[in-house]
Amino acid sequence: MKLDRAKLDAYFEAHQEEMVRDICRLVKIPSQRGEAKPGAPFGEGPLNALKEAIEIAEEIGLKVTNYDNYVCAADLSDAPTELDILAHLDVVPVSDSWQVTKPFEPLVKDGRIYGRGTADDKGPAVAALYAVKALKDLGVPLSKNVRLILGTDEECGSGDLDYYYTKEKEAPMSFSPDADFPLINLEKGGLRGEFSAKWEESKALPRIVSMDCGTKLNVVPDKANAVIEGMEKTELLALCEKASAETGVSYAVSETNGMLRIDAKGDGAHAASPQAGNNALTGLLALLVSLPMAESEGFKRLRAVYEAFPHGDWLGKAAGVAMKDELSGETTLSFTIFHYNLTGLEGQFDCRASILANDENLRDVIRDHLAAKGIELAPCSVYAPHHVPAESPLVKTLLSCYEEYTGEKGYCVSIGGGTYVHRLENGVAFGCANPNVDNRMHGDDEFAEIGQLVLSAKIFAEAIARICG
């Protein structure tokens, strides 16, 4: 079934301000994950956002089911469900560096809505709600149901959906408006690894006393620090200058209690796109292994770690796991957390892998590479990629809707990140963002373009009509 485009355009022209108002209602609620409490599995903030979303959905006239405050599901009808649309109400933490407005004080300005969650994912969630509302209000006859699932833990592991899918089965088709257009049909698999080593302390000088870097596995770190004992500051400064020219990382040196502290500054990025940053961890390691340290077991292990994960090698070449394919592209490897002291080290890496990857050609290769240097990889396994073929009816239908409403050619995209649909059999990520616009998702002054959200709602309405008609 195809919709009457003129009627749909007129509908959203009449209801755009109402849609923006409801987005702002949700954005006003700080919904970062908090401490779990009875009745609030992910904290008070996500619970409050869920309650507000339930109220909005009921105002629209949808039938809402609350799954123990993990997620809610809003149904258009009692017919068998053919399509699930999955969006989330939780948000990432905020900083105090916002300039346009405060994170939870939504501001409409110059055709945009500013505030945390406007782009990820409260704005898209409301766009999907209004797509369903438009079909209801326009009296479009549908033989099957569309269900909008609103979750509260997407940013921290999707425990909300894990719970939901113990209660319900997935629909024959699903999409999540939590990405870019045109359509993401492949999400890489990967490997999240932890390694460690121990040794006896060496008193020989000069020596590296400690190194610390990283707080989140999926974030390429922009800061790292180390403490050096038994080295002259002037000599260290000269080597810092040389290393900075080679790595692009900056180093600051200070004296503390007779020791030298090095603070490295790079550029952060998401572990799914390590090439977008400049890893301070590997940048500091590049400097440390170049220093004239006394030979010791600790320094030997430090060099071994750097040999496996050298600066600038985000493709896993040194570790022996570089691979790519036409569908998913290249494997990426991000070394993101590292702690070193006088008797041991611990590190973590985040690999987003080509669909060619498996335990034998990825995990075992890294494990054996490290083991040869006296470093142990903890038990882990490659997790599977998610792929819905471009020829599938779901993908072809969604791209057809995109092309009709944008006038642009639709195509499929592969990403290293993961969305709500990663573990679903027939789910893709579809909208809402324009890939050519930096909406500062996860950053300061996040925004969504109002016109893009309205366009998305129209595309979603068309897709629902074709799939559920």
Side-chain angles (χ1 to χ4, degrees):
M1 173 189 300
K2 291 187 65 174
L3 298 179
D4 184 321
R5 180 70 182 271
K7 287 184 178 179
L8 195 63
D9 288 344
Y11 181 87
F12 277 100
E13 184 175 351
H15 292 274
Q16 176 176 306
E17 289 187 9
E18 184 182 342
M19 189 174 92
V20 170
R21 178 204 66 197
D22 284 341
I23 294 171
C24 292
R25 287 168 63 180
L26 291 174
V27 173
K28 288 177 182 177
I29 301 170
S31 54
Q32 310 98 311
R33 180 168 177 166
E35 181 181 352
K37 298 179 180 179
F42 307 111
E44 291 292 335
L47 173 61
N48 291 335
L50 186 69
K51 288 179 177 178
E52 189 71 16
I54 290 172
E55 187 172 321
I56 293 170
E58 289 178 338
E59 289 171 1
I60 288 173
L62 304 182
K63 178 184 177 182
V64 182
T65 304
N66 183 348
Y67 291 83
D68 299 320
N69 294 332
Y70 283 80
V71 308
C72 72
D75 292 298
L76 177 59
S77 72
D78 293 325
T81 300
E82 184 70 12
L83 175 67
D84 284 343
I85 302 176
L86 302 98
H88 67 91
L89 305 169
D90 58 309
V91 297
V92 297
V94 299
S95 76
D96 57 3
S97 300
W98 285 55
Q99 300 295 317
V100 178
T101 186
K102 293 182 179 179
F104 302 110
E105 295 179 7
L107 175 67
V108 177
K109 179 181 179 182
D110 300 328
R112 297 172 171 179
I113 314 173
Y114 288 87
R116 175 60 87 228
T118 50
D120 181 28
D121 192 34
K122 294 175 178 178
V126 174
L129 271 170
Y130 269 73
V132 178
K133 173 178 166 60
L135 295 170
K136 179 179 179 297
D137 291 351
L138 292 173
V140 177
L142 300 177
S143 61
K144 296 180 180 178
N145 178 48
V146 57
R147 165 171 281 200
L148 181 59
I149 300 167
L150 299 176
T152 56
D153 187 45
E154 192 274 344
E155 300 291 0
C156 296
S158 300
D160 51 350
L161 285 194
D162 290 341
Y163 183 82
Y164 171 78
Y165 285 115
T166 66
K167 307 291 183 180
E168 303 285 358
K169 65 179 182 179
E170 64 181 271
M173 300 183 185
S174 304
F175 75 79
S176 177
D178 186 20
D180 293 340
F181 282 124
L183 183 146
I184 294 167
N185 73 321
L186 195 155
E187 300 175 7
K188 295 179 182 179
L191 181 70
R192 300 182 178 108
E194 300 183 29
F195 57 86
S196 61
K198 293 288 185 182
W199 56 83
E200 294 294 325
E201 178 182 348
S202 171
K203 303 287 187 180
L205 299 179
R207 65 179 181 173
I208 298 167
V209 176
S210 67
M211 176 178 167
D212 289 287
C213 182
T215 57
K216 292 190 70 177
L217 178 64
N218 66 349
V219 176
V220 173
D222 64 345
K223 297 177 182 178
N225 68 80
V227 175
I228 307 295
E229 183 180 14
M231 190 173 182
E232 291 295 326
K233 184 176 182 180
T234 53
E235 182 182 11
L236 178 57
L237 287 171
L239 291 170
C240 285
E241 184 176 354
K242 181 175 184 293
S244 184
E246 295 172 350
T247 65
V249 172
S250 63
Y251 310 96
V253 179
S254 58
E255 293 189 57
T256 305
N257 299 323
M259 298 186 186
L260 298 176
R261 176 185 166 105
I262 307 169
D263 285 282
K265 181 68 172 70
D267 295 307
H270 196 287
S273 304
Q275 68 276 17
N278 191 5
N279 195 327
L281 193 167
T282 56
L284 182 52
L285 275 179
L287 168 65
L288 294 180
V289 300
S290 74
L291 300 181
M293 296 291 104
E295 194 60 34
S296 67
E297 283 300 312
F299 193 50
K300 184 189 300 183
R301 298 294 201 289
L302 195 72
R303 285 199 304 261
V305 169
Y306 186 69
E307 288 169 5
F309 309 110
H311 188 67
D313 178 17
W314 46 269
L315 297 177
K317 293 179 180 179
V321 295
M323 67 183 86
K324 67 178 180 179
D325 64 90
E326 290 186 4
L327 281 176
S328 59
E330 294 175 311
T331 290
T332 62
L333 183 61
S334 302
F335 187 13
T336 55
I337 297 177
F338 188 59
H339 304 291
Y340 173 95
N341 58 41
L342 292 170
T343 60
L345 63 80
E346 297 176 344
Q348 297 181 48
F349 60 85
D350 186 346
C351 177
R352 310 299 173 99
S354 155
I355 59 174
L356 301 175
N358 54 45
D359 284 339
E360 289 72 29
N361 64 20
L362 180 58
R363 180 200 61 191
D364 293 356
V365 172
I366 295 177
R367 180 197 63 199
D368 295 346
H369 187 102
L370 293 174
K373 305 290 186 178
I375 300 168
E376 181 181 2
L377 180 68
C380 56
S381 293
V382 171
Y383 61 89
H386 172 71
H387 180 219
V388 177
E391 300 77 21
S392 73
L394 172 63
V395 171
K396 292 172 72 173
T397 298
L398 294 179
L399 286 181
S400 175
C401 295
Y402 170 81
E403 292 176 343
E404 179 175 334
Y405 279 74
T406 65
E408 298 179 2
K409 179 63 178 175
Y411 54 89
C412 293
V413 177
S414 166
I415 62 170
T419 70
Y420 257 161
V421 301
H422 192 93
R423 286 169 283 185
L424 302 183
E425 182 176 349
N426 192 28
V428 298
F430 185 56
C432 272
N434 181 337
N436 299 314
V437 175
D438 179 9
N439 56 25
R440 302 169 195 164
M441 185 185 297
H442 287 198
D444 299 337
D445 297 322
E446 175 186 346
F447 69 85
E449 298 176 302
I450 294 173
Q452 181 69 17
L453 289 174
V454 171
L455 174 63
S456 299
K458 294 177 185 178
I459 294 172
F460 297 160
E462 182 70 39
I464 295 166
R466 294 191 191 183
I467 292 171
C468 300

